[in-house]
């Protein structure tokens, strides 16, 4: 196993993490933006108002996207373990 193999594994792992985390981050961003606009329009200055909607939205996005995320993670681990003999050299 040389530096190129380690770099390739790290690159694939980081890409998989970004790809799997992006749906929840985007949902959290959109919900936070909507709540901020609502707070601005209604002049509500409560700092903790964004937490509950964000948590609920992330939970719902995990329910919807969980199967896809798990498939991506399993695919990455399958490729990693399938090429395990190559890394032992």
């Amino acid at each position: 196993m040389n530096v190129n193999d380690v770099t390739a594994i790290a690159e694939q792992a980081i890409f998989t993490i970004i790809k799997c985390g992006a749906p929840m981050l985007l949902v959290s961003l959109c919900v936070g933006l909507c709540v901020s606009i609502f707070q601005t329009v209604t002049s509500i200055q409560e700092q903790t108002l964004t937490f509950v909607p964000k948590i609920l939205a992330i939970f719902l996005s995990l329910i919807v996207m969980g199967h896809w995320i798990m498939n991506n993670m399993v695919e990455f681990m399958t490729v990693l373990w399938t090429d395990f003999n190559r890394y032992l050299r």
Side-chain angles (χ1 to χ4, degrees), residues 49-68:
L49 184 64
T50 61
F51 292 129
V52 174
K54 278 186 183 180
I55 289 172
L56 292 176
I58 290 172
F59 181 69
L60 289 175
S61 69
L62 275 174
I63 290 173
V64 172
M65 300 294 290
H67 183 68
W68 177 79

Side-chain angles (χ1 to χ4, degrees), residues 8-20:
I9 292 171
E11 180 183 335
Q12 290 172 352
I14 291 171
F15 180 70
T16 302
I17 290 168
I18 292 170
K19 186 169 62 169
C20 291

Side-chain angles (χ1 to χ4, degrees), residues 10-78:
E11 180 183 335
Q12 290 172 352
I14 291 171
F15 180 70
T16 302
I17 290 168
I18 292 170
K19 186 169 62 169
C20 291
M24 278 73 63
L25 292 173
L26 290 174
V27 165
S28 177
L29 177 74
C30 292
V31 169
L33 182 65
C34 291
V35 171
S36 294
I37 291 172
F38 175 75
Q39 283 180 322
T40 302
V41 169
T42 59
S43 297
I44 297 174
Q45 298 300 322
E46 180 63 34
Q47 297 294 324
T48 60
L49 184 64
T50 61
F51 292 129
V52 174
K54 278 186 183 180
I55 289 172
L56 292 176
I58 290 172
F59 181 69
L60 289 175
S61 69
L62 275 174
I63 290 173
V64 172
M65 300 294 290
H67 183 68
W68 177 79
I69 292 169
M70 184 59 89
N71 282 339
N72 281 329
M73 298 297 280
V74 167
E75 180 183 329
F76 172 70
M77 288 307 297
T78 303

